[in-house]
Amino acid sequence: RRTAMNPDRRQILAWGTAAAAGALLAPGLRLVALAQARSPGEAASLLQRWGLLIDTTKCGECDECVTACHEENGVTGHGRPATDPQWIRQVNLRDRRTGFAQTLPLMCQHCEQAPCVDVCPTGASLRRADGIVLVDRHTCIGCRYCVMACPFGARQFVHERTTGQKPDVPRGKGTVEACSLCVHRVDRDEEPACVSACRKDGGGAMTFGNLADPDSAIARRLKSERSVALRADLALDPGVRYQGLS
């Protein structure tokens, strides 16, 4: 028995077919192109490994990073918290013994040894040479193996039809998505939207930069100041590190 193809998935497949046929697409529409180059003519390189350092002592009750991320990437909710995508979410931690509470933003950790990439049957989950982990929506079949493999709960399955998409960020019902470190901004030599918003209207808790450059601000801080990786026991070498966690 044949079933009707989901309109959103049909549209995504049509984008891939059109690209193969040489049709004109909006700049940055295909994430596979973003995976291959960080700017026109310049390949993503091992000379960069992009990462985030988040100082939780500067994180307050605001949600500027969440709002900026979702606005930048066209991520909209449908009033269903259990299924609405969240590329960044605020996590509240409380020590049961002392009552000490902390708030931190949690997103894709952009691991060097990424479980989501290992389990993906189609290669839709991929890691660029510069460390950014992405999902190619055109080859994602929505199996959600990556969702189950991620120990941080950072991958989201799109249950609803998507609207208001941004040219640089293709989205579609029936696919998986996650924080991309605003790869389209990084490839324009800009920082992720969450970092800019945190500096402007938040607590200035986020530092973004090239972990492979010992002279970068983030590399110097990681060398001189204490930080931790979430689930360090898994040896995933994430590109996101945290300060101030007890």
Coordinates of all heavy atoms in Angstrom, one line a residue, residues 66-118:
V66 N 18.6 32.0 24.2 CA 17.6 31.2 23.6 C 16.8 32.0 22.5 O 16.5 31.5 21.4 CB 16.6 30.6 24.6 CG1 15.5 29.8 24.0 CG2 17.4 29.8 25.6
T67 N 16.4 33.2 22.9 CA 15.6 34.0 22.0 C 16.3 34.3 20.7 O 15.8 34.2 19.6 CB 15.1 35.3 22.7 OG1 14.3 35.0 23.9 CG2 14.3 36.2 21.8
A68 N 17.6 34.7 20.9 CA 18.4 35.1 19.8 C 18.7 33.9 18.8 O 18.6 34.1 17.6 CB 19.8 35.7 20.2
C69 N 18.9 32.8 19.4 CA 19.1 31.6 18.6 C 17.9 31.2 17.7 O 18.0 31.0 16.5 CB 19.5 30.4 19.5 SG 19.4 28.8 18.7
H70 N 16.8 31.3 18.4 CA 15.6 30.9 17.7 C 15.1 31.9 16.6 O 14.6 31.5 15.5 CB 14.4 30.6 18.7 CG 14.7 29.3 19.5 ND1 13.9 29.0 20.5 CD2 15.7 28.4 19.4 CE1 14.4 27.8 21.1 NE2 15.5 27.5 20.4
E71 N 15.4 33.2 16.9 CA 15.1 34.2 15.9 C 16.0 34.1 14.7 O 15.6 34.2 13.6 CB 15.1 35.6 16.6 CG 14.0 35.9 17.5 CD 14.1 37.3 18.1 OE1 15.1 37.9 17.9 OE2 13.2 37.7 18.8
E72 N 17.3 33.9 15.0 CA 18.3 33.8 14.0 C 18.0 32.7 13.0 O 18.2 32.8 11.8 CB 19.7 33.7 14.6 CG 20.8 33.5 13.6 CD 21.1 34.8 12.7 OE1 20.8 35.9 13.2 OE2 21.6 34.6 11.6
N73 N 17.6 31.5 13.6 CA 17.5 30.3 12.8 C 16.0 30.0 12.4 O 15.8 28.9 11.8 CB 18.1 29.2 13.6 CG 19.6 29.3 13.8 OD1 20.3 29.1 12.8 ND2 20.0 29.6 15.0
G74 N 15.1 30.9 12.7 CA 13.7 30.7 12.3 C 13.0 29.5 13.0 O 12.2 28.9 12.5
V75 N 13.4 29.3 14.3 CA 12.9 28.2 15.1 C 11.7 28.7 15.8 O 11.8 29.6 16.7 CB 13.9 27.6 16.0 CG1 13.3 26.5 16.9 CG2 15.1 27.1 15.3
T76 N 10.5 28.2 15.5 CA 9.3 28.7 16.1 C 8.5 27.6 16.8 O 8.7 26.4 16.4 CB 8.3 29.3 15.0 OG1 8.0 28.3 14.0 CG2 8.9 30.6 14.4
G77 N 7.8 27.9 17.8 CA 7.1 26.9 18.6 C 5.6 26.9 18.2 O 5.1 27.8 17.5
H78 N 4.9 25.9 18.7 CA 3.5 25.7 18.4 C 2.7 25.6 19.7 O 1.6 25.0 19.7 CB 3.3 24.5 17.5 CG 4.0 24.6 16.2 ND1 3.3 25.1 15.1 CD2 5.2 24.2 15.8 CE1 4.2 25.1 14.0 NE2 5.3 24.6 14.4
G79 N 3.3 26.0 20.8 CA 2.6 25.9 22.1 C 2.6 24.5 22.7 O 1.8 24.2 23.5
R80 N 3.5 23.7 22.2 CA 3.6 22.3 22.7 C 5.0 22.0 23.2 O 5.9 21.5 22.5 CB 3.3 21.3 21.6 CG 1.9 21.6 20.9 CD 1.6 20.5 19.8 NE 0.4 20.8 19.2 CZ 0.2 21.6 18.1 NH1 1.2 22.2 17.6 NH2 -1.0 21.7 17.6
P81 N 5.3 22.4 24.5 CA 6.6 22.3 25.0 C 7.2 20.9 24.9 O 8.5 20.8 24.8 CB 6.4 22.6 26.5 CG 5.2 23.5 26.5 CD 4.3 22.9 25.4
A82 N 6.4 19.9 24.9 CA 7.0 18.5 24.8 C 7.6 18.2 23.4 O 8.5 17.3 23.3 CB 5.9 17.5 25.1
T83 N 7.1 18.9 22.4 CA 7.6 18.5 21.0 C 8.2 19.7 20.3 O 8.8 19.5 19.2 CB 6.4 18.0 20.2 OG1 5.4 18.9 20.1 CG2 5.9 16.7 20.8
D84 N 8.0 21.0 20.8 CA 8.6 22.1 20.1 C 10.1 22.1 20.1 O 10.7 21.8 21.1 CB 8.1 23.4 20.8 CG 6.7 23.8 20.4 OD1 6.2 23.2 19.5 OD2 6.1 24.7 21.1
P85 N 10.7 22.3 18.9 CA 12.2 22.3 18.9 C 12.8 23.4 19.8 O 12.3 24.5 19.9 CB 12.5 22.6 17.4 CG 11.3 22.2 16.7 CD 10.1 22.5 17.6
Q86 N 13.9 23.1 20.4 CA 14.7 24.0 21.2 C 16.2 23.8 20.9 O 16.7 22.8 21.3 CB 14.4 23.9 22.7 CG 13.1 24.4 23.2 CD 13.0 24.3 24.7 OE1 13.1 23.3 25.3 NE2 12.8 25.5 25.3
W87 N 16.8 24.7 20.1 CA 18.2 24.5 19.8 C 19.0 24.8 21.0 O 20.1 24.3 21.1 CB 18.5 25.4 18.6 CG 17.9 24.9 17.3 CD1 16.8 24.1 17.1 CD2 18.4 25.2 16.0 NE1 16.6 23.9 15.8 CE2 17.6 24.5 15.1 CE3 19.5 25.9 15.5 CZ2 17.7 24.6 13.7 CZ3 19.7 26.0 14.1 CH2 18.8 25.3 13.2
I88 N 18.6 25.7 21.8 CA 19.2 26.0 23.1 C 18.1 25.9 24.2 O 17.0 26.5 23.9 CB 19.9 27.4 23.2 CG1 21.0 27.5 22.1 CG2 20.6 27.5 24.6 CD1 21.7 28.9 22.2
R89 N 18.4 25.4 25.3 CA 17.4 25.4 26.4 C 18.2 25.7 27.7 O 19.3 25.4 27.9 CB 16.7 24.1 26.5 CG 17.5 22.9 26.9 CD 16.6 21.6 26.9 NE 17.3 20.5 27.5 CZ 18.1 19.7 26.8 NH1 18.4 20.0 25.5 NH2 18.7 18.7 27.4
Q90 N 17.5 26.4 28.6 CA 18.0 26.8 29.9 C 17.8 25.6 30.8 O 16.7 25.2 31.0 CB 17.4 28.1 30.4 CG 17.8 29.3 29.6 CD 19.2 29.8 29.9 OE1 20.0 29.1 30.6 NE2 19.5 31.0 29.5
V91 N 18.9 25.2 31.5 CA 18.8 24.1 32.4 C 19.1 24.6 33.8 O 20.0 25.3 34.0 CB 19.8 23.0 32.1 CG1 19.8 21.9 33.1 CG2 19.5 22.4 30.7
N92 N 18.2 24.3 34.7 CA 18.4 24.7 36.1 C 18.9 23.6 37.0 O 18.3 22.5 37.0 CB 17.0 25.2 36.7 CG 16.5 26.4 36.0 OD1 17.2 27.4 35.7 ND2 15.2 26.4 35.6
L93 N 20.0 23.8 37.6 CA 20.7 22.8 38.5 C 20.6 23.2 39.9 O 20.7 24.4 40.3 CB 22.1 22.6 38.1 CG 22.4 22.3 36.6 CD1 23.9 22.1 36.4 CD2 21.8 21.0 36.2
R94 N 20.3 22.3 40.8 CA 20.2 22.6 42.2 C 20.9 21.5 43.0 O 20.6 20.3 42.8 CB 18.8 22.8 42.7 CG 18.7 23.1 44.2 CD 17.2 23.3 44.6 NE 16.6 24.4 43.9 CZ 16.7 25.7 44.3 NH1 17.4 26.0 45.4 NH2 16.1 26.6 43.6
D95 N 21.8 21.9 43.9 CA 22.5 20.9 44.8 C 21.6 20.6 45.9 O 21.1 21.4 46.7 CB 23.8 21.6 45.4 CG 24.7 20.6 46.1 OD1 24.1 19.8 46.9 OD2 25.9 20.6 45.9
R96 N 21.2 19.3 46.0 CA 20.3 18.8 47.0 C 20.8 19.0 48.4 O 20.0 19.2 49.4 CB 19.9 17.4 46.8 CG 19.2 17.1 45.5 CD 18.9 15.6 45.3 NE 18.1 15.4 44.1 CZ 17.8 14.1 43.7 NH1 18.1 13.1 44.5 NH2 17.1 14.0 42.6
R97 N 22.1 19.0 48.6 CA 22.6 19.1 50.0 C 22.7 20.6 50.4 O 22.3 20.8 51.6 CB 24.1 18.5 50.0 CG 24.1 17.0 49.7 CD 25.6 16.6 49.5 NE 26.2 17.3 48.4 CZ 27.5 17.2 48.0 NH1 28.3 16.5 48.8 NH2 27.9 17.9 47.0
T98 N 23.1 21.5 49.5 CA 23.2 22.9 50.0 C 22.1 23.8 49.5 O 22.0 24.9 50.0 CB 24.6 23.4 49.4 OG1 24.5 23.4 48.0 CG2 25.7 22.5 49.9
G99 N 21.4 23.4 48.5 CA 20.3 24.2 47.9 C 20.9 25.2 46.9 O 20.1 26.0 46.3
F100 N 22.2 25.1 46.6 CA 22.8 26.1 45.7 C 22.3 25.8 44.3 O 22.3 24.7 43.8 CB 24.3 25.9 45.7 CG 25.0 26.8 44.7 CD1 25.1 28.2 44.9 CD2 25.7 26.3 43.6 CE1 25.7 29.0 44.0 CE2 26.3 27.1 42.7 CZ 26.4 28.4 42.9
A101 N 21.8 26.9 43.6 CA 21.2 26.7 42.3 C 22.0 27.4 41.2 O 22.6 28.4 41.4 CB 19.8 27.3 42.3
Q102 N 22.0 26.8 40.0 CA 22.7 27.4 38.9 C 21.9 27.2 37.6 O 21.0 26.3 37.5 CB 24.1 26.6 38.6 CG 25.1 26.8 39.7 CD 26.3 26.0 39.4 OE1 26.3 24.8 39.6 NE2 27.4 26.6 39.0
T103 N 22.1 28.2 36.7 CA 21.4 28.1 35.4 C 22.4 28.1 34.3 O 23.4 28.8 34.4 CB 20.5 29.3 35.2 OG1 19.5 29.3 36.2 CG2 19.8 29.3 33.9
L104 N 22.2 27.2 33.3 CA 23.2 27.2 32.2 C 22.5 26.9 30.9 O 21.5 26.2 30.9 CB 24.3 26.1 32.5 CG 23.9 24.7 32.7 CD1 23.9 23.9 31.3 CD2 24.9 24.0 33.6
P105 N 23.0 27.4 29.8 CA 22.4 27.1 28.5 C 23.0 25.7 28.0 O 24.2 25.5 28.1 CB 22.8 28.2 27.6 CG 24.1 28.7 28.3 CD 24.0 28.4 29.7
L106 N 22.1 24.9 27.5 CA 22.5 23.6 27.0 C 22.2 23.5 25.5 O 21.0 23.7 25.1 CB 21.9 22.5 27.8 CG 22.3 21.0 27.4 CD1 23.8 20.8 27.7 CD2 21.5 20.0 28.2
M107 N 23.1 23.1 24.7 CA 22.9 23.0 23.3 C 23.8 21.9 22.7 O 24.4 21.2 23.5 CB 23.3 24.3 22.5 CG 24.7 24.6 22.5 SD 25.5 25.2 24.0 CE 24.9 26.9 24.1
C108 N 23.8 21.6 21.4 CA 24.7 20.7 20.9 C 26.1 21.0 21.3 O 26.5 22.2 21.3 CB 24.6 20.7 19.3 SG 25.9 19.7 18.5
Q109 N 26.9 20.0 21.8 CA 28.2 20.2 22.3 C 29.3 20.2 21.3 O 30.5 20.3 21.6 CB 28.5 19.2 23.5 CG 27.5 19.3 24.6 CD 27.6 20.6 25.4 OE1 28.6 20.8 26.1 NE2 26.6 21.5 25.3
H110 N 28.9 19.9 20.0 CA 29.9 19.8 18.9 C 31.1 19.0 19.3 O 32.3 19.5 19.3 CB 30.2 21.3 18.5 CG 29.0 22.0 18.0 ND1 28.5 21.9 16.7 CD2 28.2 22.8 18.7 CE1 27.4 22.6 16.6 NE2 27.2 23.2 17.8
C111 N 30.8 17.7 19.6 CA 31.9 16.8 20.0 C 32.8 16.4 18.9 O 32.4 16.2 17.7 CB 31.2 15.5 20.6 SG 30.0 15.8 21.9
E112 N 34.1 16.2 19.2 CA 35.0 15.6 18.3 C 34.7 14.2 18.0 O 34.7 13.7 16.8 CB 36.4 15.7 18.8 CG 37.5 15.2 17.8 CD 38.9 15.5 18.1 OE1 39.1 16.3 19.0 OE2 39.8 15.0 17.5
Q113 N 34.3 13.4 19.0 CA 33.9 12.0 18.9 C 32.4 12.0 19.0 O 31.8 11.6 20.0 CB 34.5 11.2 19.9 CG 36.1 11.3 20.0 CD 36.7 10.8 18.7 OE1 36.2 9.9 18.0 NE2 37.9 11.4 18.4
A114 N 31.7 12.5 18.0 CA 30.2 12.7 18.1 C 29.4 11.4 17.9 O 29.4 10.8 16.8 CB 29.8 13.7 17.0
P115 N 28.7 11.0 18.9 CA 27.9 9.8 18.8 C 26.8 9.9 17.7 O 26.5 8.9 17.1 CB 27.2 9.7 20.2 CG 28.1 10.5 21.1 CD 28.6 11.6 20.3
C116 N 26.3 11.1 17.5 CA 25.2 11.3 16.5 C 25.8 11.0 15.1 O 25.0 10.5 14.3 CB 24.7 12.7 16.6 SG 25.9 14.0 16.4
V117 N 27.0 11.3 14.9 CA 27.6 11.1 13.6 C 27.9 9.6 13.4 O 27.6 9.0 12.3 CB 28.9 11.9 13.4 CG1 29.7 11.5 12.1 CG2 28.7 13.4 13.4
D118 N 28.3 8.9 14.5 CA 28.6 7.5 14.4 C 27.4 6.6 14.1 O 27.5 5.6 13.4 CB 29.2 7.0 15.8 CG 30.6 7.6 16.0 OD1 31.2 8.0 15.0 OD2 31.0 7.6 17.2

